[in-house]
CSV table of all heavy atoms in Angstrom, one decimal:
chain,number,residue,atom,x,y,z
A,338,GLU,N,34.9,-15.6,-23.9
A,338,GLU,CA,34.4,-16.9,-23.4
A,338,GLU,C,35.2,-17.4,-22.3
A,338,GLU,O,34.7,-18.0,-21.4
A,338,GLU,CB,34.3,-17.8,-24.6
A,338,GLU,CG,33.6,-19.1,-24.2
A,338,GLU,CD,33.3,-19.9,-25.5
A,338,GLU,OE1,34.1,-20.1,-26.4
A,338,GLU,OE2,32.2,-20.4,-25.6
A,339,THR,N,36.5,-17.3,-22.4
A,339,THR,CA,37.5,-17.8,-21.4
A,339,THR,C,37.1,-17.1,-20.1
A,339,THR,O,37.1,-17.7,-19.0
A,339,THR,CB,38.9,-17.6,-21.8
A,339,THR,OG1,39.1,-18.0,-23.2
A,339,THR,CG2,39.9,-18.4,-21.0
A,340,THR,N,37.0,-15.8,-20.2
A,340,THR,CA,36.7,-15.0,-19.0
A,340,THR,C,35.4,-15.4,-18.4
A,340,THR,O,35.3,-15.6,-17.1
A,340,THR,CB,36.6,-13.5,-19.4
A,340,THR,OG1,37.8,-13.2,-20.2
A,340,THR,CG2,36.6,-12.6,-18.2
A,341,ASP,N,34.4,-15.6,-19.3
A,341,ASP,CA,33.1,-16.0,-18.7
A,341,ASP,C,33.2,-17.4,-18.1
A,341,ASP,O,32.5,-17.6,-17.1
A,341,ASP,CB,32.0,-16.0,-19.8
A,341,ASP,CG,30.7,-16.2,-19.3
A,341,ASP,OD1,30.3,-15.4,-18.3
A,341,ASP,OD2,29.9,-17.1,-19.7
A,342,ASN,N,33.9,-18.3,-18.7
A,342,ASN,CA,34.1,-19.6,-18.1
A,342,ASN,C,34.8,-19.5,-16.7
A,342,ASN,O,34.3,-20.2,-15.7
A,342,ASN,CB,34.9,-20.5,-19.0
A,342,ASN,CG,34.2,-21.0,-20.2
A,342,ASN,OD1,32.9,-20.9,-20.2
A,342,ASN,ND2,34.9,-21.5,-21.2
A,343,PHE,N,35.7,-18.6,-16.5
A,343,PHE,CA,36.3,-18.4,-15.3
A,343,PHE,C,35.3,-17.9,-14.3
A,343,PHE,O,35.3,-18.4,-13.1
A,343,PHE,CB,37.5,-17.4,-15.5
A,343,PHE,CG,38.0,-16.8,-14.2
A,343,PHE,CD1,39.1,-17.5,-13.5
A,343,PHE,CD2,37.5,-15.6,-13.6
A,343,PHE,CE1,39.5,-16.9,-12.3
A,343,PHE,CE2,38.0,-15.0,-12.4
A,343,PHE,CZ,39.1,-15.8,-11.8
A,344,LEU,N,34.5,-17.0,-14.7
A,344,LEU,CA,33.5,-16.4,-13.8
A,344,LEU,C,32.4,-17.5,-13.5
A,344,LEU,O,31.9,-17.5,-12.3
A,344,LEU,CB,32.8,-15.2,-14.5
A,344,LEU,CG,33.7,-13.9,-14.6
A,344,LEU,CD1,33.1,-13.0,-15.5
A,344,LEU,CD2,33.9,-13.4,-13.2
A,345,ALA,N,32.1,-18.4,-14.4
A,345,ALA,CA,31.0,-19.4,-14.2
A,345,ALA,C,31.5,-20.3,-13.1
A,345,ALA,O,30.6,-20.6,-12.2
A,345,ALA,CB,30.8,-20.2,-15.5
A,346,GLU,N,32.8,-20.6,-13.0
A,346,GLU,CA,33.3,-21.4,-11.9
A,346,GLU,C,33.0,-20.8,-10.5
A,346,GLU,O,32.9,-21.5,-9.4
A,346,GLU,CB,34.8,-21.6,-12.0
A,346,GLU,CG,35.2,-22.4,-13.1
A,346,GLU,CD,35.1,-23.9,-12.8
A,346,GLU,OE1,35.4,-24.4,-11.7
A,346,GLU,OE2,34.5,-24.7,-13.7
A,347,LYS,N,33.0,-19.5,-10.5
A,347,LYS,CA,32.8,-18.8,-9.2
A,347,LYS,C,31.3,-18.4,-9.0
A,347,LYS,O,31.0,-17.6,-8.1
A,347,LYS,CB,33.6,-17.4,-9.2
A,347,LYS,CG,34.9,-17.6,-9.7
A,347,LYS,CD,36.0,-17.4,-8.7
A,347,LYS,CE,37.3,-17.7,-9.2
A,347,LYS,NZ,38.2,-18.4,-8.4
A,348,GLY,N,30.4,-18.8,-10.0
A,348,GLY,CA,29.1,-18.5,-9.8
A,348,GLY,C,28.7,-17.1,-10.3
A,348,GLY,O,27.6,-16.6,-10.1
A,349,TYR,N,29.5,-16.5,-11.2
A,349,TYR,CA,29.2,-15.1,-11.7
A,349,TYR,C,29.1,-15.2,-13.3
A,349,TYR,O,29.5,-16.2,-13.9
A,349,TYR,CB,30.3,-14.2,-11.3
A,349,TYR,CG,30.2,-13.7,-9.8
A,349,TYR,CD1,30.7,-14.4,-8.7
A,349,TYR,CD2,29.5,-12.6,-9.5
A,349,TYR,CE1,30.6,-14.1,-7.5
A,349,TYR,CE2,29.3,-12.2,-8.2
A,349,TYR,CZ,29.8,-12.9,-7.2
A,349,TYR,OH,29.7,-12.5,-5.9
A,350,ILE,N,28.8,-14.1,-13.8
A,350,ILE,CA,28.6,-14.1,-15.3
A,350,ILE,C,29.2,-12.8,-15.8
A,350,ILE,O,29.1,-11.8,-15.1
A,350,ILE,CB,27.2,-14.3,-15.7
A,350,ILE,CG1,27.0,-14.5,-17.2
A,350,ILE,CG2,26.3,-13.2,-15.2
A,350,ILE,CD1,25.6,-14.9,-17.7
A,351,PHE,N,29.9,-12.8,-17.0
A,351,PHE,CA,30.3,-11.5,-17.6
A,351,PHE,C,29.0,-10.8,-18.1
A,351,PHE,O,28.1,-11.4,-18.7
A,351,PHE,CB,31.2,-11.8,-18.7
A,351,PHE,CG,32.0,-10.6,-19.1
A,351,PHE,CD1,33.3,-10.3,-18.5
A,351,PHE,CD2,31.7,-9.8,-20.1
A,351,PHE,CE1,34.1,-9.3,-18.8
A,351,PHE,CE2,32.4,-8.7,-20.4
A,351,PHE,CZ,33.6,-8.4,-19.8
A,352,PRO,N,28.8,-9.5,-17.8
A,352,PRO,CA,27.6,-8.9,-18.2
A,352,PRO,C,27.4,-8.7,-19.7
A,352,PRO,O,26.7,-7.8,-20.1
A,352,PRO,CB,27.8,-7.6,-17.5
A,352,PRO,CG,29.2,-7.3,-17.3
A,352,PRO,CD,29.9,-8.6,-17.2
A,353,LEU,N,28.1,-9.4,-20.5
A,353,LEU,CA,28.0,-9.3,-21.9
A,353,LEU,C,28.1,-10.7,-22.5
A,353,LEU,O,28.9,-11.5,-22.1
A,353,LEU,CB,29.0,-8.4,-22.5
A,353,LEU,CG,29.2,-8.3,-24.0
A,353,LEU,CD1,28.2,-7.4,-24.6
A,353,LEU,CD2,30.6,-7.8,-24.4
A,354,ASP,N,27.3,-10.9,-23.6
A,354,ASP,CA,27.4,-12.2,-24.3
A,354,ASP,C,27.2,-12.0,-25.7
A,354,ASP,O,26.3,-11.2,-26.1
A,354,ASP,CB,26.5,-13.3,-23.8
A,354,ASP,CG,26.7,-14.7,-24.3
A,354,ASP,OD1,27.8,-14.8,-24.9
A,354,ASP,OD2,25.9,-15.5,-24.2
A,355,LEU,N,27.9,-12.5,-26.6
A,355,LEU,CA,27.6,-12.3,-28.0
A,355,LEU,C,28.2,-13.5,-28.9
A,355,LEU,O,29.0,-14.3,-28.4
A,355,LEU,CB,28.0,-11.0,-28.6
A,355,LEU,CG,29.5,-10.5,-28.3
A,355,LEU,CD1,30.5,-11.2,-29.0
A,355,LEU,CD2,29.5,-9.0,-28.6
A,356,GLY,N,27.7,-13.6,-30.1
A,356,GLY,CA,28.0,-14.8,-30.9
A,356,GLY,C,29.6,-15.0,-31.1
A,356,GLY,O,30.0,-16.1,-31.4
A,357,ALA,N,30.3,-13.9,-31.1
A,357,ALA,CA,31.8,-14.0,-31.3
A,357,ALA,C,32.5,-14.3,-30.0
A,357,ALA,O,33.8,-14.1,-30.1
A,357,ALA,CB,32.2,-12.6,-32.0
A,358,LYS,N,31.9,-14.7,-29.0
A,358,LYS,CA,32.5,-14.8,-27.7
A,358,LYS,C,33.9,-15.7,-27.7
A,358,LYS,O,34.7,-15.5,-26.9
A,358,LYS,CB,31.6,-15.4,-26.6
A,358,LYS,CG,31.0,-16.7,-26.9
A,358,LYS,CD,30.1,-17.1,-25.7
A,358,LYS,CE,28.9,-18.0,-26.1
A,358,LYS,NZ,27.9,-17.3,-26.8
A,359,GLY,N,33.9,-16.7,-28.6
A,359,GLY,CA,35.0,-17.6,-28.6
A,359,GLY,C,36.3,-16.9,-29.2
A,359,GLY,O,37.4,-17.4,-29.0
A,360,SER,N,36.1,-15.7,-29.8
A,360,SER,CA,37.4,-15.1,-30.2
A,360,SER,C,37.5,-13.6,-29.9
A,360,SER,O,38.6,-13.1,-29.8
A,360,SER,CB,37.5,-15.2,-31.8
A,360,SER,OG,36.3,-14.8,-32.4
A,361,CYS,N,36.4,-12.9,-29.6
A,361,CYS,CA,36.6,-11.5,-29.3
A,361,CYS,C,37.2,-11.3,-27.8
A,361,CYS,O,37.1,-12.1,-27.0
A,361,CYS,CB,35.2,-10.7,-29.4
A,361,CYS,SG,34.0,-11.3,-28.2
A,362,HIS,N,37.9,-10.1,-27.7
A,362,HIS,CA,38.6,-9.8,-26.4
A,362,HIS,C,37.7,-8.9,-25.6
A,362,HIS,O,36.9,-8.1,-26.2
A,362,HIS,CB,39.9,-9.1,-26.7
A,362,HIS,CG,40.9,-9.8,-27.4
A,362,HIS,ND1,42.1,-9.3,-27.7
A,362,HIS,CD2,41.0,-11.1,-27.8
A,362,HIS,CE1,42.9,-10.2,-28.2
A,362,HIS,NE2,42.2,-11.3,-28.4
A,363,ILE,N,37.8,-9.0,-24.3
A,363,ILE,CA,37.0,-8.2,-23.5
A,363,ILE,C,37.4,-6.7,-23.7
A,363,ILE,O,36.6,-5.8,-23.6
A,363,ILE,CB,37.1,-8.6,-21.9
A,363,ILE,CG1,38.5,-8.6,-21.4
A,363,ILE,CG2,36.3,-9.9,-21.8
A,363,ILE,CD1,38.6,-8.8,-19.9
A,364,GLY,N,38.7,-6.5,-24.0
A,364,GLY,CA,39.1,-5.1,-24.3
A,364,GLY,C,38.5,-4.6,-25.6
A,364,GLY,O,38.1,-3.4,-25.7
A,365,GLY,N,38.4,-5.5,-26.6
A,365,GLY,CA,37.7,-5.2,-27.9
A,365,GLY,C,36.2,-4.9,-27.6
A,365,GLY,O,35.6,-4.0,-28.2
A,366,ASN,N,35.6,-5.7,-26.7
A,366,ASN,CA,34.2,-5.5,-26.4
A,366,ASN,C,34.0,-4.1,-25.8
A,366,ASN,O,33.0,-3.4,-26.2
A,366,ASN,CB,33.8,-6.6,-25.4
A,366,ASN,CG,33.7,-8.0,-25.9
A,366,ASN,OD1,34.0,-8.8,-25.1
A,366,ASN,ND2,33.5,-8.1,-27.2
A,367,VAL,N,34.9,-3.7,-24.9
A,367,VAL,CA,34.7,-2.4,-24.3
A,367,VAL,C,35.1,-1.3,-25.3
A,367,VAL,O,34.4,-0.3,-25.5
A,367,VAL,CB,35.7,-2.2,-23.1
A,367,VAL,CG1,35.6,-0.9,-22.5
A,367,VAL,CG2,35.2,-3.3,-22.0
A,368,ALA,N,36.1,-1.5,-26.2
A,368,ALA,CA,36.4,-0.5,-27.2
A,368,ALA,C,35.3,-0.4,-28.2
A,368,ALA,O,35.1,0.8,-28.7
A,368,ALA,CB,37.7,-1.0,-28.0
A,369,THR,N,34.5,-1.3,-28.4
A,369,THR,CA,33.3,-1.2,-29.4
A,369,THR,C,32.1,-0.9,-28.6
A,369,THR,O,31.1,-0.8,-29.2
A,369,THR,CB,33.2,-2.5,-30.2
A,369,THR,OG1,33.0,-3.6,-29.4
A,369,THR,CG2,34.3,-2.7,-31.2
A,370,ASN,N,32.1,-1.0,-27.3
A,370,ASN,CA,30.9,-0.9,-26.4
A,370,ASN,C,29.9,-1.9,-27.0
A,370,ASN,O,28.7,-1.5,-27.2
A,370,ASN,CB,30.3,0.5,-26.5
A,370,ASN,CG,29.1,0.7,-25.5
A,370,ASN,OD1,29.0,-0.1,-24.5
A,370,ASN,ND2,28.3,1.6,-25.8
A,371,ALA,N,30.3,-3.1,-27.1
A,371,ALA,CA,29.4,-4.2,-27.7
A,371,ALA,C,28.2,-4.3,-26.9
A,371,ALA,O,28.2,-4.1,-25.6
A,371,ALA,CB,30.1,-5.5,-27.8
A,372,GLY,N,27.0,-4.6,-27.5
A,372,GLY,CA,25.8,-4.7,-26.9
A,372,GLY,C,25.5,-6.2,-26.6
A,372,GLY,O,25.4,-6.6,-25.4
A,373,GLY,N,25.2,-6.9,-27.7
A,373,GLY,CA,25.0,-8.4,-27.5
A,373,GLY,C,23.7,-8.9,-27.1
A,373,GLY,O,22.7,-8.1,-27.1
A,374,LEU,N,23.7,-10.0,-26.6
A,374,LEU,CA,22.4,-10.8,-26.5
A,374,LEU,C,21.7,-10.5,-25.1
A,374,LEU,O,20.6,-10.8,-25.0
A,374,LEU,CB,22.8,-12.3,-26.5
A,374,LEU,CG,23.4,-12.7,-27.7
A,374,LEU,CD1,24.1,-14.2,-27.6
A,374,LEU,CD2,22.5,-12.6,-29.0
Side-chain angles (χ1 to χ4, degrees):
Chain A
E338 188 166 44
T339 316
T340 313
D341 189 53
N342 287 343
F343 167 86
L344 290 165
E346 289 282 317
K347 318 248 175 219
Y349 285 84
I350 187 170
F351 198 87
L353 167 81
D354 187 15
L355 45 76
K358 57 177 152 285
S360 49
C361 64
H362 293 180
I363 56 174
N366 296 144
V367 173
T369 55
N370 186 24
L374 305 165

